[in-house]
Amino acid sequence: MQCIIHKRYYCPKHFLFLLYSDMSKHFATVAKIKSQAAGKSWDEIDPEVRWEVLMYMLHLADISNPAKGNPMFKLWTDRCLKEFFAQGDEECVLGLPVSPNCDRNETKKPDSQIGFINFVVKPAYVVLADIIPAVGENILPVIQNNLMYWEDQKGKEETL
């Protein structure tokens, strides 16, 4: 089977990379990778599952702004929220309910990032760290530092 994208032929597996970036499948994907690969060395993981781990890593790259150092994580947070707010503005114009974190008048940056890190990013990277220990040594501390930054920012907002 061949997929045609932009007049080029791609292997169907390559097309799956696009599907793995779909946030609606995030939690199911984390659970699947955790059950099939966590705690195993790369050599112990079935070759088909290795492919899925690579797609999972691409998905994590897509949501990686909290895994970047300072000042990059702040810049990417602002870029993402700008995109979300534009979506929320368009939803308002169309008379649709505004998606979570897309309402520029209600979304608080620290709260949005604390939730994103605690419920989406950090658990997903913990699973990857079970497969690639260097992730636990190098990336999880960055995520934790950024979480502490946003918690501090939330505290500052609340004292104003």
Side-chain angles (χ1 to χ4, degrees), residues 4-148:
I4 301 173
I5 302 174
H6 301 292
K7 299 180 183 177
R8 289 188 170 165
Y9 292 93
Y10 290 92
C11 169
K13 281 187 175 182
H14 293 126
F15 183 70
L16 290 175
F17 278 124
L18 297 173
L19 300 177
Y20 262 74
S21 66
D22 183 350
M23 281 304 295
S24 71
K25 298 180 182 358
H26 172 82
F27 296 104
T29 301
V30 173
K32 183 177 182 181
I33 296 299
K34 184 176 183 176
S35 71
Q36 293 182 339
K40 296 180 181 178
S41 72
W42 189 253
D43 291 336
E44 296 172 315
I45 299 171
D46 178 86
E48 281 300 310
V49 175
R50 286 184 205 161
W51 182 259
E52 291 188 36
V53 170
L54 293 174
M55 289 188 284
Y56 180 71
M57 291 170 64
L58 182 65
H59 169 62
L60 293 187
D62 193 39
I63 61 169
S64 68
N65 59 300
K68 298 182 185 327
N70 190 9
M72 291 306 294
F73 80 95
K74 293 180 211 172
L75 295 170
W76 278 105
T77 296
D78 289 340
R79 290 172 181 158
C80 290
L81 287 175
K82 182 179 177 183
E83 180 182 325
F84 295 168
F85 294 156
Q87 176 182 324
D89 294 345
E90 186 65 23
E91 289 169 341
C92 277
V93 168
L94 296 172
L96 298 170
V98 178
S99 299
N101 293 319
C102 293
D103 187 333
R104 70 177 64 248
N105 299 312
E106 298 294 325
T107 301
K108 292 180 173 45
K109 190 187 307 187
D111 288 337
S112 72
Q113 294 309 294
I114 291 166
F116 184 53
I117 291 169
N118 279 331
F119 298 108
V120 177
V121 175
K122 190 174 177 182
Y125 274 90
V126 166
V127 170
L128 187 60
D130 273 350
I131 302 165
I132 304 171
V135 170
E137 297 162 13
N138 299 302
I139 298 173
L140 287 178
V142 173
I143 293 170
Q144 187 61 38
N145 286 340
N146 293 342
L147 176 60
M148 291 178 355

